[in-house]
Amino acid sequence: TQLLEQSPQFLSIQEGENLTVYCNSSSVFSSLQWYRQEPGEGPVLLVTVVTGGEVKKLKRLTFQFGDARKDSSLHITAAQPGDTGLYLCAGMRGLSGGYQKVTFGTGTKLQVIP
Amino acid sequence: NAGVTQTPKFRILKIGQSMTLQCTQDMNHNYMYWYRQDPGMGLKLIYYSVGAGITDKGEVPNGYNVSRSTTEDFPLRLELAAPSQTSVYFCASSLVGLAKNIQYFGAGTRLSVL
């Protein structure tokens, strides 16, 4: 079973602070996705990273895929209360027939206090 | 745009009862998935389907059954509910392919087995 460990599990910070969430595995993934989930809702995709070393920016969010494609990080600059939610990473591995097997991480619960 | 629709939103079952969680999507996606999410955790794949008439087991299939008679619908059946099946269930759908494997999630069904 492939495991994706996220750290930290919980994070409570003040508005305006910076933070980084990590997603680590011993397995190689063909691509990795980050989702945000708000209470009572399903996860919503934020980004997909495909190439080892790739960096993608989405406003104040910066996503990086590790060179070996085993890990990823999400950095938020100047966090805002609207960033509050559960952040999930998901690693994808291609199987025969074109199906992409998805393994979700353990999640990081972020609370940004005004 | 409806996207992925799940019903019911909430349900309480007694041990040993059965029920079907409904999921329908209007995006003509071939791939559909059922996940469960335990409190504060990531998602675990129960079953998935790569097209009408084709289903396969995920990580945690025991105690569940699925069918896929149409592209749109992917119901999940619990035959003999157990307290361990208390969870939030998410249905998702996606297109095929590495870069296009964006999963769209429903809002979830919160199930309690007492």
Side-chain angles (χ1 to χ4, degrees), chain A residues 91-106:
Chain A
M92 292 197 291
R93 188 166 64 92
L95 301 177
S96 60
Y99 172 62
Q100 298 284 321
K101 179 180 177 181
V102 179
T103 301
F104 277 85
T106 48

Side-chain angles (χ1 to χ4, degrees), chain A residues 20-105:
Chain A
T20 302
V21 176
Y22 299 94
C23 175
N24 294 295
S25 175
S26 58
S27 301
V28 176
F29 293 101
S30 56
S31 63
L32 193 136
Q33 296 177 330
W34 284 93
Y35 291 81
R36 181 168 67 214
Q37 183 180 15
E38 298 186 13
E41 300 291 332
V44 175
L45 180 67
L46 296 173
V47 77
T48 301
V49 285
V50 178
T51 307
E54 182 177 2
V55 176
K56 278 192 174 179
K57 291 192 175 183
L58 186 66
K59 296 184 180 178
R60 295 176 293 100
L61 278 61
T62 301
F63 304 86
Q64 184 163 9
F65 201 11
D67 291 340
R69 291 185 287 132
K70 292 182 179 181
D71 54 83
S72 181
S73 64
L74 158 60
H75 182 79
I76 302 179
T77 304
Q80 298 178 0
D83 296 327
T84 293
L86 179 68
Y87 287 81
L88 296 163
C89 63
M92 292 197 291
R93 188 166 64 92
L95 301 177
S96 60
Y99 172 62
Q100 298 284 321
K101 179 180 177 181
V102 179
T103 301
F104 277 85

Side-chain angles (χ1 to χ4, degrees), chain B residues 16-51:
Chain B
Q17 285 186 318
S18 61
M19 77 163 292
T20 300
L21 282 68
Q22 302 290 346
C23 175
T24 187
Q25 53 94 7
D26 62 358
M27 296 175 283
N28 202 32
H29 286 171
N30 285 331
Y31 288 65
M32 295 187 74
Y33 315 81
W34 273 106
Y35 294 91
R36 60 176 287 172
Q37 185 177 37
D38 297 324
M41 301 294 289
L43 285 78
K44 293 189 176 180
L45 184 65
I46 305 171
Y47 270 96
Y48 67 95
S49 170
V50 301

